């Protein structure tokens, strides 16, 4: 074995694929603790008792959204043949907070505290600064 990869999530599996594309003669082994690969990407088929397969639904139990600006993730999903469904972000939104369900049309839920919104904005600015400090070519 030339290369051992720990973890069969999307990163480990795409690492193995990239290594083999670069050098098909490599012997690559992926070690995964679970009985399946995919990491946090995990969907199950759910159907009510007595329902047919046609009436079943898919339920995502892990990572499930790729933002519209995450172009590298979209490219990776396409390369891996992972289906991507369009996510809708316009129109009425639903908020379930501590069992109280409300809907709103604005970008910010009605009733959100100003202090909470300020803290959220400060966090977003901090994360944006952190993102800009990481080189895409050499993230280490």
């Amino acid at each position: 074995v030339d290369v051992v990869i720990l973890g069969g999530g999307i990163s480990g599996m795409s690492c193995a694929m990239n290594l083999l594309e670069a050098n098909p003669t490599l012997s690559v082994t992926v070690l995964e603790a679970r009985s399946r690969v995919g990491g946090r990407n995990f969907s199950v088929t759910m159907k009510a008792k007595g329902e047919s397969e046609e009436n079943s639904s898919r339920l995502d139990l892990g990572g499930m959204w790729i933002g519209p600006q995450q172009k590298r993730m979209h490219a990776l999903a396409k390369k891996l043949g992972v289906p991507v469904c369009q996510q809708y972000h316009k129109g009425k939104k639903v908020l379930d907070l501590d069992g109280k369900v409300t809907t709103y049309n604005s970008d910010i839920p009605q009733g959100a505290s100003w202090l909470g919104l300020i803290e959220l904005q400060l966090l977003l600015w901090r994360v944006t600064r952190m993102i800009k400090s990481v080189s895409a070519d050499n993230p280490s």
Side-chain angles (χ1 to χ4, degrees), residues 74-120:
H74 280 281
L76 180 60
K78 184 176 181 179
K79 183 177 183 178
L80 297 175
V82 175
V84 177
C85 300
Q86 182 166 347
Q87 298 293 312
Y88 299 97
H89 54 87
K90 294 182 180 178
K92 190 177 283 189
K93 297 146 184 99
V94 178
L95 174 65
D96 181 344
L97 185 60
D98 295 328
K100 182 180 178 191
V101 178
T102 57
T103 60
Y104 60 99
N105 291 314
S106 59
D107 290 334
I108 300 171
Q110 296 169 350
S113 76
W114 285 105
L115 181 58
L117 293 174
I118 292 168
E119 288 176 341
L120 176 61

Side-chain angles (χ1 to χ4, degrees), residues 34 36 38-44 59-65:
R34 295 182 178 143
R36 62 170 183 81
R40 292 184 297 145
N41 295 315
F42 184 52
S43 300
V44 295
L59 179 64
D60 291 317
L61 300 177
M64 60 191 89
W65 285 289

